[in-house]
Amino acid sequence: MGTGQKEITRLLLLLSLIALLGAIVGLFYPIMLLAMSALLAYQLFQVIRFENWIRTGGRKKYPKTSGIWEDIYYHIYRIKKDDKKRKKKLGKMIDLFRKSTEALPDAAVVLGKNDEIEWSNKMANQVLGLQNSDKGQRIPNLIRFPEFVRYLKSGDFNEAITLNSPVDKHIILTVRIVAYGEGLRLLLAQDVTQLKKMELMRKDFVANVSHELRTPLTVLKGYLETLQDMDEHTSVLLSESLTQMQAQTERMQYLVDDLLLLTRLETQQVKNECVDVPHLLQQICLEGDTLPQQANRIQLRIESPAHIIGEEHELRSAFTNLLGNALKYSPTEASVLVRWYQTAQAFVFEVQDYGEGIAEADLPRITERFYRCEVKRERKISGTGLGLAIVKHVLMRHEGKLNIQSEVGKGSCFTCHFPLKRQCN
Ligand code: ADP
């Protein structure tokens, strides 16, 4: 039998007994009234005692009682005890989380719906200059770099941005925002000063070496040309050696030129000229036509008169590289189609060839520096492996995107997409 049922049975039994007693002594109503009042007073006393106990937080051991009241006290006491245990466990977990985030080498800041700081770790205080008292403040009021404010407002957090630390301008940070939960965002800032320094050293080294190699190469090439002119073909070995040396110095010169161009693309600001792309393409295709064995291969279709903002010299390099590759990696009898057209989203430069194509596994890597696909060919095709890296850089500097579609044995289609807002005529 449950406690409730027991309580009812006990009460009924007691009332029956009192009723019987009342009937025997001939005072049924007065005795019953007295009994009911006593019962009411008892329950009132219990309620007041309970209210007293619960008001003080139910922390003290509950008062001695019996029946259903004892059960009520016990259940509440148990719930509170479980709650306390759970809170303790949660507290430990939060403590552990705090300790691990404090130990993070990166700055971490939790932002609320209105970009207010909800929480930040020690590193955030060090590199972003946030104080514990900044909690609740909007972060754009504290980190005021326009680039950062724009990034925060944009809502597009696919890519990180690079900033100088507001505390020390020599510290370079990459800042990334990760959205999570409802309107919450985690801001992560990583100190990349050393990485940037090393990158700069690498750039300087490549630029210096390439620059220093230029003069000796020109001298070497000059002497080789003179020696070839003087060669009377008395020795096959000598003639072949001179031809080989000439080819290799030429290759080295292309490499040095490409490396210098890449360094320029990485370090110099892009000039904003209005480039007459249709005219530029006519020139490039004309030059392509005059290359040995390339006559009448190129079909040029100018379908848009658009000029775009950019640097002519850089665009020429990118387009020439793509056209050069199309001619190089397809048979001399196959045609190459060059187009300049407009879609709803972009201006597009397209080069379509019907050559050897590119394997799917190579596609993600062909824009890497020095990456050349390993293809068994009858003839050796020379190259530096830097052409597509140059194309990628030029496009990046022109807000452009490179798209490659290719099928082995069928051909490749390279497209460069430029935003419509770049039109300038
Ligand atoms: P390079 O042509 O000097 O080797 P690139 O960076 O221009 O260097 O190209 C990288 C590699 O991508 C090439 O070695 C070649 O294997 C492949 N590739 C580029 N363009 C084409 C093309 N149109 N058709 C087939 N393969 C290509």
Side-chain angles (χ1 to χ4, degrees):
M1 205 190 292
T3 320
Q5 272 172 319
K6 261 195 224 163
E7 191 76 11
I8 292 168
T9 319
R10 215 163 58 175
L11 192 70
L12 285 176
L13 221 72
L14 187 72
L15 285 176
S16 316
L17 227 73
I18 292 170
L20 192 71
L21 188 77
I24 291 170
V25 293
L27 292 168
F28 179 78
Y29 287 110
I31 283 185
M32 278 307 277
L33 193 70
L34 203 71
M36 289 297 212
S37 305
L39 211 68
L40 200 69
Y42 171 73
Q43 293 300 345
L44 202 64
F45 164 73
Q46 291 287 12
V47 169
I48 290 169
R49 202 157 65 149
F50 178 71
E51 195 269 341
N52 252 325
W53 180 71
I54 208 93
R55 184 159 29 84
T56 53
R59 274 190 290 274
K60 283 185 278 175
K61 183 89 180 99
Y62 55 86
K64 221 172 168 54
T65 182
S66 62
I68 197 147
W69 280 105
E70 188 178 13
D71 277 17
I72 292 173
Y73 277 116
Y74 172 72
H75 290 312
I76 293 181
Y77 179 72
R78 209 197 45 196
I79 289 170
K80 286 193 80 71
K81 213 168 143 187
D82 287 353
D83 211 35
K84 209 168 149 188
K85 254 196 219 159
R86 215 172 303 131
K87 265 190 191 156
K88 211 169 158 186
K89 210 167 143 188
L90 210 70
K92 262 191 192 162
M93 270 167 71
I94 291 176
D95 216 39
L96 215 70
F97 169 75
R98 284 233 169 98
K99 274 187 189 148
S100 55
T101 43
E102 288 301 348
L104 268 180
D106 299 342
V109 186
V110 174
L111 299 175
K113 276 185 185 144
N114 300 313
D115 302 328
E116 73 279 13
I117 299 170
E118 299 230 338
W119 172 87
S120 61
N121 68 353
K122 208 154 68 188
M123 204 59 185
N125 301 10
Q126 276 175 27
V127 296
L128 295 172
L130 302 178
Q131 311 286 328
N132 289 343
S133 54
D134 290 335
K135 216 170 178 185
Q137 294 244 41
R138 292 188 66 239
I139 200 157
N141 295 341
L142 301 168
I143 302 174
R144 290 167 173 267
F145 296 121
E147 213 184 333
F148 173 72
V149 177
R150 228 177 296 130
Y151 178 61
L152 197 66
K153 265 193 193 160
S154 74
D156 177 12
F157 306 130
N158 285 330
E159 282 179 24
I161 53 163
T162 309
L163 294 178
N164 291 93
S165 157
V167 180
D168 177 352
K169 67 176 180 356
H170 297 108
I171 299 177
I172 304 167
L173 304 170
T174 51
V175 176
R176 178 181 284 279
I177 292 181
V178 187
Y180 74 98
E182 258 182 48
L184 289 177
R185 276 156 302 162
L186 178 68
L187 181 150
L188 293 167
Q190 190 182 17
D191 184 346
V192 289
T193 317
Q194 284 307 320
L195 218 73
K196 290 280 172 195
K197 258 190 200 160
M198 272 159 65
E199 208 175 293
L200 198 70
M201 269 164 66
R202 187 219 10 116
K203 278 181 199 165
D204 282 351
F205 175 75
V206 174
N208 289 339
V209 170
S210 317
H211 193 74
E212 291 304 321
L213 280 174
R214 249 183 154 180
T215 320
L217 267 173
T218 318
V219 174
L220 219 69
K221 214 170 157 236
Y223 278 124
L224 275 170
E225 270 165 20
T226 316
L227 283 173
Q228 267 186 324
D229 288 344
M230 285 163 58
D231 182 21
E232 284 164 359
H233 301 282
T234 42
S235 153
V236 181
L237 182 65
L238 179 70
S239 303
E240 261 179 20
S241 304
L242 285 174
T243 316
Q244 274 293 318
M245 283 160 83
Q246 176 83 10
Q248 290 305 321
T249 21
E250 211 160 72
R251 193 172 121 73
M252 249 164 106
Q253 206 159 25
Y254 285 139
L255 247 165
V256 167
D257 287 347
D258 279 358
L259 280 172
L260 278 172
L261 176 60
L262 263 172
T263 308
R264 253 206 329 270
L265 292 175
E266 279 181 334
T267 51
Q268 285 180 11
Q269 277 238 315
V270 62
K271 278 190 222 140
N272 282 331
E273 313 161 343
C274 189
V275 184
D276 181 348
V277 180
H279 183 242
L280 178 65
L281 292 181
Q282 272 158 1
Q283 281 181 351
I284 292 171
C285 291
L286 214 67
E287 283 161 20
D289 253 348
T290 56
L291 291 171
Q293 296 182 308
Q294 308 299 345
N296 303 321
R297 283 188 66 191
I298 307 166
Q299 290 174 25
L300 173 64
R301 283 195 208 146
I302 303 284
E303 293 159 35
S304 159
H307 299 189
I308 59 166
I309 295 173
E311 192 167 331
E312 180 164 340
H313 175 71
E314 291 186 11
L315 290 173
R316 176 185 283 275
S317 284
F319 296 161
T320 310
N321 266 310
L322 290 176
L323 178 61
N325 280 351
L327 293 169
K328 250 191 332 188
Y329 298 107
S330 56
T332 43
E333 63 279 3
S335 60
V336 168
L337 182 62
V338 177
R339 285 174 71 202
W340 175 244
Y341 59 93
Q342 181 180 346
T343 67
Q345 293 85 29
F347 292 113
V348 185
F349 166 75
E350 180 181 298
V351 183
Q352 165 83 60
D353 69 58
Y354 303 95
E356 61 182 43
I358 302 158
E360 219 178 306
D362 286 322
L363 275 177
R365 299 201 56 193
I366 56 169
T367 54
E368 284 174 20
R369 282 170 194 218
F370 298 111
Y371 189 83
R372 305 199 73 212
C373 313
E374 274 185 35
V375 180
K376 283 205 178 93
R377 305 182 180 102
E378 284 168 17
R379 66 198 162 108
K380 194 172 172 300
I381 300 176
S382 66
T384 59
L386 292 172
L388 291 180
I390 291 174
V391 173
K392 196 175 85 174
H393 263 82
V394 170
L395 290 186
M396 244 157 54
R397 285 159 67 88
H398 288 78
E399 298 175 279
K401 272 200 190 111
L402 178 68
N403 192 17
I404 311 166
Q405 278 179 337
S406 190
E407 210 177 315
V408 175
K410 294 217 165 139
S412 314
C413 183
F414 285 74
T415 44
C416 307
H417 302 249
F418 299 95
L420 295 178
K421 64 175 182 196
R422 285 206 157 237
Q423 183 170 16
C424 54
N425 60 336

